[in-house]
Amino acid sequence: MLEQRIGTWLELQDALFAGSWSEALGRHRSTFVFRGMPQVSNDLSTALNRQGLFVRKEKDLLRAFRKYARGDSPPSVESVWDWLALAQHHGLPTRMLDWTFSPYVALHFLTENPERYTDDGVVWCVDYRQTNQHLPRRLKTLLRREGADVFTGEMLATAASDLPAFDHLAKHPFVLFLEPPSLDARIVNQFALFSVMNGPELCLDSFLEAQAEGVRKLVIPAALKWEVRDKLDQSNITERVLFPGFDGLSRWLRRYYSPRGASKVASAPAASKRKRRRTTK
């Protein structure tokens, strides 16, 4: 696994889009997915296995969620994988972990909370074609037959109709990436997908640390966060877009109009220390 400490905005762009050129297509088409977190100390444990709180309750949680949510669930939710995606999307502890195809969406989640601007952050970049090499043969065959690189719930259900069947597809740990149905505009706008491992107790950190290729851990220094945040705002990567509705709008306005001095932050890089004008809408 490659760990790289980023120094500037331009260096960050190079690192995020490295390896995106496809000779076969003659286009820039990245095979990486991204996850941004505000603190470099944040690991890749799921809400289900974080501190071991819910690992033994996975079956109970999902069964109860399906029972009580059925009347309000979208008609597209059919397989256990769609139910897991819906549950994860609405905050239930599951074995899934949120990722995005968009490096800028990952940067948003790195910088959405100004109270964390004194901490170094991290963006994980994972090449799903590399992680796919560790999949059991049955899943590799399924991807090849579908001409796909990531799974849908419908695809995965043909190989494993429930979690026990999925866990028994291989004795060794593996991870796959699953693209959920377009449950709402939030899923669509965040270009979202989920990682899933074959065991509720497994943590993705351990799996990725042993992978020599296709994994980059980008450490974003605290001093760079304000510049990243300001440029994301100018690029319209904001709560108003990623969380459509009044809640997202209010979150964006509250953060956008908060004065920089409201939180104790590291000083800006030397190149960015020129006097800033207060932006108004």
Side-chain angles (χ1 to χ4, degrees), residues 5-9 116-121 220-229 260 265-273 276:
R5 186 173 180 86
I6 301 299
T8 66
W9 169 261
R116 292 286 180 262
Y117 282 15
T118 54
D119 303 317
D120 291 351
I220 315 300
L224 190 59
K225 282 187 173 180
W226 273 107
E227 180 178 358
V228 170
R229 183 65 261 171
R260 178 165 176 167
V265 297
S267 60
S272 302
K273 284 187 176 178
R276 298 171 183 263

Side-chain angles (χ1 to χ4, degrees), residues 58-118:
E58 180 180 40
K59 184 190 300 184
D60 300 328
L61 285 166
L62 185 59
R63 182 183 63 250
F65 183 85
R66 294 177 71 168
K67 178 171 66 174
Y68 294 117
R70 188 171 296 279
D72 298 320
S73 63
S76 59
V77 176
E78 298 176 354
S79 71
V80 65
W81 305 106
D82 292 339
W83 278 106
L84 271 174
L86 179 65
Q88 171 72 14
H89 186 53
H90 287 283
L92 188 77
T94 78
R95 67 170 67 186
M96 290 184 165
L97 199 62
D98 297 83
W99 294 78
T100 176
F101 288 109
S102 167
Y104 284 1
V105 171
L107 290 179
H108 168 82
F109 289 107
L110 173 85
T111 58
E112 67 174 338
N113 185 359
E115 293 182 2
R116 292 286 180 262
Y117 282 15
T118 54

Side-chain angles (χ1 to χ4, degrees), residues 55-230:
V55 168
R56 296 182 180 180
K57 297 296 183 181
E58 180 180 40
K59 184 190 300 184
D60 300 328
L61 285 166
L62 185 59
R63 182 183 63 250
F65 183 85
R66 294 177 71 168
K67 178 171 66 174
Y68 294 117
R70 188 171 296 279
D72 298 320
S73 63
S76 59
V77 176
E78 298 176 354
S79 71
V80 65
W81 305 106
D82 292 339
W83 278 106
L84 271 174
L86 179 65
Q88 171 72 14
H89 186 53
H90 287 283
L92 188 77
T94 78
R95 67 170 67 186
M96 290 184 165
L97 199 62
D98 297 83
W99 294 78
T100 176
F101 288 109
S102 167
Y104 284 1
V105 171
L107 290 179
H108 168 82
F109 289 107
L110 173 85
T111 58
E112 67 174 338
N113 185 359
E115 293 182 2
R116 292 286 180 262
Y117 282 15
T118 54
D119 303 317
D120 291 351
V122 62
V123 176
W124 287 87
C125 315
V126 177
D127 187 341
Y128 47 76
R129 289 191 176 178
Q130 291 291 333
T131 55
N132 285 349
Q133 294 182 15
H134 301 279
L135 293 176
R137 182 178 301 175
R138 187 174 182 182
L139 294 180
K140 288 181 180 178
T141 301
L142 180 57
L143 284 177
R144 186 166 55 251
R145 186 171 68 231
E146 294 287 340
D149 291 311
V150 299
F151 291 84
T152 64
E154 182 182 13
M155 286 170 57
L156 192 52
T158 64
S161 60
D162 56 29
L163 289 172
F166 179 71
D167 291 346
H168 286 91
L169 286 175
K171 293 182 179 180
H172 65 274
F174 66 84
V175 63
L176 60 79
F177 289 93
L178 182 145
E179 194 170 5
S182 299
L183 300 169
D184 57 24
R186 181 153 57 105
I187 286 269
V188 175
N189 291 4
Q190 292 179 15
F191 215 170
L193 73 166
F194 304 114
S195 62
V196 187
M197 296 196 72
N198 57 320
E201 77 289 347
L202 296 177
C203 188
L204 192 52
D205 297 78
S206 300
F207 180 84
L208 295 179
E209 285 174 1
Q211 190 163 313
E213 298 181 359
V215 181
R216 297 197 295 268
K217 183 179 180 181
L218 307 182
V219 178
I220 315 300
L224 190 59
K225 282 187 173 180
W226 273 107
E227 180 178 358
V228 170
R229 183 65 261 171
D230 289 345

Side-chain angles (χ1 to χ4, degrees), residues 6 8-18 104 107 228 231:
I6 301 299
T8 66
W9 169 261
L10 292 179
E11 186 179 341
L12 177 59
Q13 305 312 298
D14 287 340
L16 290 172
F17 292 96
Y104 284 1
L107 290 179
V228 170
K231 289 179 176 178

Side-chain angles (χ1 to χ4, degrees), residues 13-34:
Q13 305 312 298
D14 287 340
L16 290 172
F17 292 96
S20 63
W21 176 254
S22 170
E23 289 289 349
L25 297 175
R27 304 286 296 274
H28 288 88
R29 291 289 185 267
S30 178
T31 57
F32 279 82
V33 293
F34 306 89

